[in-house]
Amino acid sequence: MQKTAEFFFDVGSPAAYLAWTQMPTLCTQANATLVYRPMLLGGVFQATGNASPMMVPAKGNYMAVDLGRFAQRYGVPFRINPHFPINTLQLMRAVVGMQLRHPQRFDAFLATVYTAMWDKGLNLNDPAVTQAMLVEADFDPAIVFALVNDADIKAALKANTEEAAKRGAFGAPTVFVGDAMFFGQDRLDFVREALA
């Protein structure tokens, strides 16, 4: 039976971005199914009493350097978003909406948002900037913004977030292979071993 890697993520997490750049290839090589599980990191923090390591200055400074090292190792573009933290509630609703209502465009949408956030460093707190990002990537802003206000999509994001916290997640990215939980983009070797 083919194994599954459940990838719980929020686009506002730079570590989740780095993991996202690696997970598809990792799962293909392991002949495993990658299941994207969008969650609201702020909701997980609230449920678990956790907070972003970037909020601790010394830790945040170190993390920025360390994430850059991993980006270099992975050969992917990366920079700390100068507008961090970004409130990702609307973005994550849009991610869930694309996954549920427009699955054929989900991968492209996720790539658009992650690139805007962690390569281009755009201020996605600004609705005008977000709208311009969508238009440039050939997404209809009206369709995307309608998804954000859809009650079923709001409920799906909330359910994913609650499930993540209930299963033990306290941050992003969190990957589950069966009952085994792996936190952080620097634990992908363990994910690979669990899928082997």
Side-chain angles (χ1 to χ4, degrees):
M1 184 175 160
Q2 192 172 47
K3 288 197 172 179
T4 297
E6 294 177 85
F7 179 61
F8 283 87
F9 70 98
D10 183 312
V11 295
S13 162
Y17 159 74
L18 290 177
W20 165 77
T21 68
Q22 303 305 299
M23 285 297 295
T25 300
L26 187 157
C27 287
T28 297
Q29 291 171 345
N31 192 31
T33 301
L34 173 57
V35 178
Y36 288 100
R37 303 296 308 275
M39 66 178 186
L40 190 62
L41 185 54
V44 169
F45 282 166
Q46 191 173 16
T48 61
N50 196 9
S52 169
M54 295 294 199
M55 298 300 108
V56 180
K59 197 172 189 178
N61 291 339
Y62 173 78
M63 264 197 75
V65 172
D66 198 50
L67 291 167
R69 289 180 185 134
F70 273 99
Q72 193 169 10
R73 174 174 285 173
Y74 297 152
V76 297
F78 173 75
R79 68 171 168 153
I80 293 292
N81 190 305
H83 308 286
F84 184 89
I86 303 280
N87 181 337
T88 60
L89 177 61
Q90 309 297 321
L91 292 169
M92 292 311 297
R93 285 178 180 167
V95 168
V96 171
M98 293 303 290
Q99 186 181 40
L100 296 179
R101 302 281 161 79
H102 306 280
Q104 72 284 2
R105 299 216 60 200
F106 173 75
D107 289 336
F109 184 78
L110 196 52
T112 296
V113 176
Y114 264 139
T115 299
M117 185 84 76
W118 300 112
D119 178 9
K120 297 178 180 176
L122 299 184
N123 181 7
L124 298 185
N125 281 320
D126 183 337
V129 173
T130 303
Q131 181 163 336
M133 169 198 76
L134 293 170
V135 169
E136 185 181 338
D138 199 30
F139 288 96
D140 183 338
I143 291 173
V144 175
F145 293 143
L147 295 172
V148 166
N149 294 309
D150 184 301
D152 291 340
I153 287 163
K154 290 178 182 180
L157 178 59
K158 186 177 180 186
N160 281 356
T161 303
E162 289 174 349
E163 181 188 338
K166 187 176 179 183
R167 290 173 69 180
F170 52 86
T174 299
V175 179
F176 288 94
V177 179
D179 291 331
M181 184 180 96
F182 305 94
F183 167 71
Q185 67 83 26
D186 52 350
R187 296 294 183 267
L188 298 183
D189 285 346
F190 289 113
V191 173
R192 187 178 283 108
E193 289 170 10
L195 291 171

